[in-house]
Amino acid sequence: MLDELYSLRGKVALITGASRGIGRAVALAFAEAGADLAVSSRNRRPPELEETAEQVRALGRKALAVPAHVGRKADVADLVQKSLAAFGRIDILVNNAGGNPVLSTLAELEEEAFDKVMEVNLKGAFLVSKAVAAVMIGQGGGRIINVSSVSGLRARNDRTGAYCISKAALNMMTQVMARELAGHHILVNAIAPGSIRTEFSRVNWSDPERCARRVQEIELKRFGEPAEVAGIALFLASAAGSFVTGEIIRVDGGEMI
Ligand SMILES: NC(=O)c1ccc[n+]([C@@H]2O[C@H](COP(=O)([O-])OP(=O)(O)OC[C@H]3O[C@@H](n4cnc5c(N)ncnc54)[C@H](OP(=O)(O)O)[C@@H]3O)[C@@H](O)[C@H]2O)c1
């Protein structure tokens, strides 16, 4: 019973931003649960992306690594086409690629930097969801999981304003798509991580003073690990999450209580 609830046997998942951090942890959890995987990132730091694919194969599952920038339509089309050519279907999409290249107040933020943040965190998830939703509609259903952030739930005053806006919009996109796609048996949810120990958040945990300050804001008094986000993604991807759609699940150690 437990095994069946969380099994992804026979399923195919496409995960963006899978070369490291949360995306890689989700890929490995899905592989352990039995899914075959298309994993993608821009491949900015070879061999990270291929290493994720190798780790999936070591778990006995199939893996295809496809370099793609999620904000570029041609890359997204290529990613979806190659995933379908390899596996014939896509049951689960995890829009995890994201980041925040610039720290600035909104009043001082350059237009180009604003566009860049929106391009990856919001437009990227839109483009990949649009392409994969068409596939899922043809298949009769699927799951879309957006990796958002608690920064989309409460305004921060730490020069990450554009990032906050992009994740708030991603939360709304999750809920609009959940309503629009429910009739096609496609469930759309988001995960809102808090402070998770990855490359992205290195600035917050590598400096002891900054780390101590950040940890004070978290009820569990520690950073989370990528694997602690992966378990929630597995719940949303599996039979266990079959009546959950339009939800935004915080994984933040109580930071937003
Ligand atoms: N860590 C946290 O505390 C935290 C908290 C809240 C939310 N999040 C969210 O969690 C997600 C994963 O972040 P992480 O912490 O695991 O960061 P990470 O370790 O830096 O990983 C980011 C991933 O996204 C890929 N990526 C970046 N820009 C891309 C683009 N334009 N197209 C395709 N792939 C791209 C990166 O690979 P390449 O460089 O090869 O493209 C990498 O695989 C992000 O959406 C982030 O906003 C993280």
Side-chain angles (χ1 to χ4, degrees):
M1 164 76 176
L2 247 192
D3 182 44
E4 270 174 38
L5 265 182
Y6 290 95
S7 171
L8 297 183
R9 268 190 298 276
K11 303 288 184 192
V12 174
L14 191 169
I15 305 177
T16 69
S19 60
R20 57 178 183 266
I22 293 170
R24 177 180 282 183
V26 172
L28 297 181
F30 282 13
E32 272 195 53
D36 291 328
L37 292 170
V39 291
S40 183
S41 87
R42 291 166 305 175
N43 206 20
R44 281 283 163 93
R45 300 184 187 188
E48 283 184 347
L49 181 62
E50 192 48 48
E51 275 170 8
T52 300
E54 277 303 319
Q55 290 178 20
V56 168
R57 290 181 199 117
L59 290 166
R61 305 313 317 169
K62 292 184 190 142
L64 175 74
V66 187
H69 187 308
V70 290
R72 301 196 180 136
K73 208 170 149 186
D75 281 23
V76 170
D78 182 63
L79 168 61
V80 173
Q81 186 265 321
K82 283 183 173 145
S83 304
L84 287 174
F87 301 117
R89 56 188 296 114
I90 302 170
D91 301 289
I92 304 150
L93 165 64
V94 183
N95 284 310
N96 169 75
N100 186 38
V102 191
L103 283 180
S104 169
T105 61
L106 287 173
E108 289 169 346
L109 187 69
E110 297 292 340
E111 181 184 351
E112 292 72 21
F114 181 88
D115 287 346
K116 219 174 170 45
V117 174
M118 296 302 154
E119 183 185 48
V120 54
N121 295 343
L122 182 60
K123 185 176 161 189
F126 162 70
L127 288 177
V128 185
S129 297
K130 182 174 155 72
V132 172
V135 174
M136 288 177 172
I137 288 170
Q139 288 168 186
R143 305 283 175 94
I144 299 176
I145 300 162
N146 296 322
V147 180
S148 179
S149 171
V150 292
S151 297
L153 299 173
R154 186 199 289 166
R156 285 192 188 277
N157 185 10
D158 61 358
R159 297 185 297 147
T160 61
Y163 179 77
C164 293
I165 296 168
S166 71
K167 294 297 191 178
L170 181 61
N171 291 343
M172 181 50 73
M173 192 173 91
T174 301
Q175 296 189 323
V176 172
M177 284 190 119
R179 298 194 76 172
E180 289 182 353
L181 293 172
H184 295 286
H185 310 290
I186 300 170
L187 311 188
V188 189
N189 291 287
I191 300 173
S195 294
I196 309 297
R197 195 185 302 270
T198 66
E199 270 309 300
F200 168 71
S201 60
R202 176 179 286 278
V203 62
N204 290 327
W205 53 260
S206 56
D207 171 62
E209 268 180 39
R210 215 185 154 104
C211 181
R213 269 202 312 275
R214 178 54 73 105
V215 158
Q216 271 319 306
E217 296 166 6
I218 304 168
E219 291 304 334
L220 295 184
K221 302 299 174 216
R222 65 174 178 87
F223 274 69
E225 299 299 327
E228 295 180 286
V229 180
I232 303 300
L234 179 58
F235 162 72
L236 291 172
S238 63
S242 59
F243 200 53
V244 180
T245 195
E247 185 58 274
I248 298 158
I249 302 182
R250 287 190 294 111
V251 185
D252 68 350
E255 189 178 337
M256 287 289 147
I257 294 170

